[in-house]
Amino acid sequence: AQTVTQSQPEMSVQEAETVTLSCTYDTSESDYYLFWYKQPPSRQMILVIRQEAYKQQNATENRFSVNFQKAAKSFSLKISDSQLGDAAMYFCAYRSAWNNNAGNMLTFGGGTRLMVKP
Amino acid sequence: DGGITQSPKYLFRKEGQNVTLSCEQNLNHDAMYWYRQDPGQGLRLIYYSQIVNDFQKGDIAEGYSVSREKKESFPLTVTSAQKNPTAFYLCASRPHKDSPEKLFFGSGTQLSVL
C-alpha cells in the first residue's frame, strides 16, 4: 500500500516571500502521479499542481512549482511571492497510474497548514 | 451556478442514531465520492460511485452506507455501527472523461457526536 507523509503540520511565511512545503511518499510502483491540493477556509479542496512520475521536468503553475525527486520519493511544493490568499491547508496526494479500481483512488498526506503574515 | 451542495453544514448525532449527509451536484458528473477528513490524517475514501445504481467501498466503508438512485445525488448515511463518527465529511464529483484527481469538492459537513 502507498503512504504519503507530510512532516510539517504548520508553516508560516511572510507575504511576498517564498515557502517550501515537504512531502514524502512510499510506493513500489514505477508509474504514478503526484498532486498538491489546497483547502482554503471555505474547505473546498482545489487541485493546485500535478506531476507525472515518468516526467523528469518539474511541474510549474504560475507561482507554484514542485521539486520532484523520484529516487528519494520526495515531492515538495514551492510557493513564490506568497500572497495572503495562499493561506490554507495543503495536501499532498498520490495516485497509481494503473487503470483499475485502485487507480481511481487518491492517497492523501496529513496536510500542512500554511499561514501568511502580512 | 453549477456546483456541489452539501447539507447540512453542521450535524450532531446522538448515540445509536443514524444520520444522513446530503450531497447534490448539478454538474452532470458521472462519478461521485465521499471522503472523511480527520485532523492530521488527510482525506480517506469512504465510498464512491461511477454510475447510477452502482457504488464501491473505499478504504474505510465500515459503519457507512450510500445510495445512488439519481445521477445528481449521493447521500451518505452514518450508521450507529460507526463508533467514531466525529469528523469532517467531503463530497466530490468528476466527469468520467476527466482524470481521477480532477475532483470538484463541496464545502463539507462537520459531524459531531452529542
Side-chain angles (χ1 to χ4, degrees), chain A residues 32-107:
Chain A
Y32 49 87
Y33 300 90
L34 295 163
F35 315 96
W36 279 96
Y37 285 86
K38 172 184 178 180
Q39 187 180 41
S42 69
R43 305 203 76 173
Q44 280 183 297
M45 301 273 285
I46 304 162
L47 179 62
V48 174
I49 200 164
R50 177 181 191 261
Q51 174 78 43
E52 292 94 338
Y54 62 85
K55 288 187 177 178
Q56 290 188 331
Q57 186 173 8
N58 289 322
T60 298
E61 287 287 341
N62 301 313
R63 298 182 294 107
F64 297 86
S65 62
V66 299
N67 183 5
F68 173 48
Q69 302 288 330
K70 191 172 185 180
K73 296 181 181 175
S74 170
F75 182 59
S76 60
L77 175 70
K78 185 172 84 170
I79 307 174
S80 305
D81 185 24
S82 297
Q83 300 175 0
L84 295 177
D86 295 333
M89 284 288 290
Y90 286 84
F91 292 93
C92 180
Y94 170 104
R95 175 172 77 80
S96 170
W98 292 103
N99 187 21
N100 53 24
N101 278 345
N104 281 318
M105 297 182 189
L106 296 164
T107 300

Side-chain angles (χ1 to χ4, degrees), chain B residues 2-21:
Chain B
I4 298 181
T5 302
Q6 288 188 243
S7 62
K9 194 173 180 69
Y10 300 96
L11 186 59
F12 297 91
R13 192 190 92 167
K14 295 179 181 178
E15 292 286 343
Q17 186 181 44
N18 293 355
V19 292
T20 297
L21 284 61

Side-chain angles (χ1 to χ4, degrees), chain B residues 16-89:
Chain B
Q17 186 181 44
N18 293 355
V19 292
T20 297
L21 284 61
S22 170
C23 179
E24 303 277 334
Q25 54 99 358
N26 59 3
L27 299 165
N28 199 33
H29 286 175
D30 306 289
M32 297 186 74
Y33 303 79
W34 274 106
Y35 285 93
R36 171 177 170 143
Q37 184 177 3
D38 294 280
Q41 291 194 46
L43 276 66
R44 292 180 290 167
L45 183 65
I46 305 172
Y47 268 99
Y48 67 100
S49 167
Q50 300 192 77
I51 55 171
V52 175
N53 292 323
D54 187 51
F55 47 83
Q56 285 79 41
K57 293 181 179 180
D59 298 324
I60 55 165
E62 186 173 350
Y64 300 97
S65 65
V66 293
S67 62
R68 188 85 187 276
E69 297 176 2
K70 299 187 300 181
K71 189 175 186 179
E72 304 79 20
S73 179
F74 191 41
L76 173 74
T77 297
V78 184
T79 74
S80 57
Q82 173 49 246
K83 298 307 178 188
N84 184 22
T86 296
F88 187 68
Y89 292 86

